Amino acid sequence: MESIPLMTPYKMGKFDLSHRVVLAPLTRRRSYGSVPQPHAILHYSQQATKGGLLIAEATGVSNTAQGYNDTPGIWTKEQVEAWKPIVNAVHEKGGIFFCQIWHVGRVSHYKYQPNGQAPISSTDKQIPPQEQADGTVEEYSPPRGLRTEEIPDIVNDFRLAARNAIEAGFDGVEIHGTYGYLIEQFMKDSSNNRTDKYGGSLENRCRFALEVVEAVSNEIGSDRVGFKLSPFTYYLECFDSNPEILGLYMVQSLNKFNILYCHMVEPRQSVVEGRYQIPHRLLPMRKAFNGTFVAVGGYDREEGNKVVAEGYTDLVAYGRHFLANPDLPRRFELGAPLNKYNRLTFYTSDPVEGYNDYPSLEESPLI
């Protein structure tokens, strides 16, 4: 019988995982008015399996954290209450559910900010207009660099969001430190031009991220905390001149807080004959990190099995494939064909199309 490394059990701290396939956090923009909606109950519960790890979509920590239409938050009582039935539905299926908490920083516009104010960031550098996958162009307002004395308040927003996530029933939180958003705006040297204790040296640029980790860990326990890193990526004018050094410094620093897991993004890949060619540059960080290691970025079933079998990572997170195949672990187990995802419906507001209408294995016309 074929050995399927992705389907082997794994002990992640106090959590007993039945397999190594993780739902990556995926922004879907269907939380109207930043409040999670009932259609998310079906969405997440159909992706849940007994002992499977799901990471909820990026969720704002405050009213300054938003940069897109209808992304969820977790800073108000209404939002916390709205998350509860969604979390319960995942738990009823035996799933383990973490909430990814984020702040977009300068990746925003006046229209998303309280009182139409400038977005806050590590810097006053503005992001130029960005063309989106659907051909539209996203524009960003000039940001305001945070004053040194304001930064503890933002750290506290993450702490309170983590507390709210636990109140909503989540098993833990993942701190969003990737893809050009606020925490990464501090960490990477292309977007951090500060001259205070949060800028300049690598240690200073990572200070804000680690203060968030410390505050969140102290609030809910480090055994409930994950951190997502993408040192090699270049999103939204955010990159670093020494990504390997940045990645190693961060994972070694995260070890001091004894957090549960580190979730790391592979560098950008080329596509050859329809398959992503994954560079596999995370091994030094994987070796340096003491907790559970999660890799993400272009993996399919074959490549996921390979990296787990070789010990390159403990768990593999899947985004687009999981989006289009809510029963992805089962399909991987059987070696079944996958539904194709429709990129045009990733960020629409429809509560069904491209969200809750991908067929399961039993419903699929392919079987």
Side-chain angles (χ1 to χ4, degrees), residues 98-130:
F98 273 53
C99 181
Q100 189 188 64
I101 52 177
W102 77 333
H103 194 301
V104 301
R106 66 177 180 167
V107 189
S108 190
H109 190 275
Y110 300 137
K111 65 185 178 183
Y112 298 118
Q113 294 298 310
N115 304 313
Q117 65 193 34
I120 56 176
S121 180
S122 62
T123 179
D124 58 1
K125 292 182 182 180
Q126 184 178 5
I127 305 172
Q130 304 282 310

Side-chain angles (χ1 to χ4, degrees), residues 252-270:
Q252 290 166 348
S253 299
L254 291 173
N255 284 337
K256 299 173 186 176
F257 301 100
N258 198 32
I259 66 170
L260 182 63
Y261 72 79
C262 180
H263 184 181
M264 290 199 75
V265 182
E266 295 280 5
R268 278 186 176 273
Q269 308 99 6
S270 58

Side-chain angles (χ1 to χ4, degrees), residues 36-269:
Q37 298 295 306
H39 46 252
I41 297 172
L42 173 59
H43 179 70
Y44 282 112
S45 65
Q46 67 184 356
Q47 295 169 317
T49 54
K50 183 175 175 57
L53 174 61
L54 307 184
I55 307 171
E57 62 207 275
T59 301
V61 300
S62 71
N63 62 353
T64 67
Q66 304 300 86
Y68 303 95
N69 284 328
D70 299 329
T71 54
I74 198 160
W75 71 87
T76 72
K77 183 67 174 176
E78 180 186 12
Q79 291 164 339
V80 171
E81 292 302 314
W83 272 116
K84 286 181 178 180
I86 303 167
V87 177
N88 288 341
V90 170
H91 285 160
E92 286 172 2
K93 295 279 289 290
I96 297 152
F97 205 12
F98 273 53
C99 181
Q100 189 188 64
I101 52 177
W102 77 333
H103 194 301
V104 301
R106 66 177 180 167
V107 189
S108 190
H109 190 275
Y110 300 137
K111 65 185 178 183
Y112 298 118
Q113 294 298 310
N115 304 313
Q117 65 193 34
I120 56 176
S121 180
S122 62
T123 179
D124 58 1
K125 292 182 182 180
Q126 184 178 5
I127 305 172
Q130 304 282 310
E131 185 173 351
Q132 306 301 299
D134 61 2
T136 61
V137 175
E138 192 86 30
E139 295 192 355
Y140 306 97
S141 298
R144 176 181 69 81
L146 284 160
R147 299 187 301 275
T148 307
E149 63 270 19
E150 292 179 295
I151 292 176
D153 291 333
I154 311 303
V155 173
N156 195 51
D157 287 337
F158 277 89
R159 180 185 69 81
L160 294 174
R163 178 202 290 178
N164 287 344
I166 299 304
E167 183 184 339
F170 283 102
D171 297 293
V173 302
E174 176 178 284
I175 299 165
H176 194 322
T178 61
Y179 300 143
Y181 297 111
L182 182 62
I183 289 178
E184 196 169 79
Q185 289 159 31
F186 274 86
M187 287 193 294
K188 292 189 171 179
D189 54 20
S190 72
S191 53
N192 187 333
N193 58 356
R194 303 179 71 90
T195 57
D196 64 356
K197 67 178 184 178
Y198 292 96
S201 69
L202 176 63
E203 293 79 6
N204 282 355
R205 286 185 279 116
C206 293
R207 187 185 305 276
F208 172 59
L210 297 173
E211 287 180 350
V212 169
V213 172
E214 182 175 27
V216 168
S217 296
N218 287 342
E219 182 65 34
I220 67 171
S222 59
D223 59 345
R224 293 175 177 264
V225 177
F227 194 96
K228 189 172 184 182
L229 276 167
S230 59
F232 297 100
T233 60
Y234 181 170
Y235 287 105
L236 299 162
E237 302 294 311
C238 198
F239 59 92
D240 196 80
S241 58
N242 291 291
E244 291 91 350
I245 301 294
L246 171 61
L248 273 172
Y249 177 80
M250 277 300 299
V251 297
Q252 290 166 348
S253 299
L254 291 173
N255 284 337
K256 299 173 186 176
F257 301 100
N258 198 32
I259 66 170
L260 182 63
Y261 72 79
C262 180
H263 184 181
M264 290 199 75
V265 182
E266 295 280 5
R268 278 186 176 273
Q269 308 99 6

Side-chain angles (χ1 to χ4, degrees), residues 248 251-252 255 264 282-291 293 311-312:
L248 273 172
V251 297
Q252 290 166 348
N255 284 337
M264 290 199 75
L282 305 183
L283 190 57
M285 280 71 86
R286 192 275 196 274
K287 288 182 175 179
F289 185 64
N290 293 338
F293 196 84
Y312 177 81

Side-chain angles (χ1 to χ4, degrees), residues 111 291 320 330 365:
K111 65 185 178 183
R320 290 163 292 195
R330 178 65 172 158

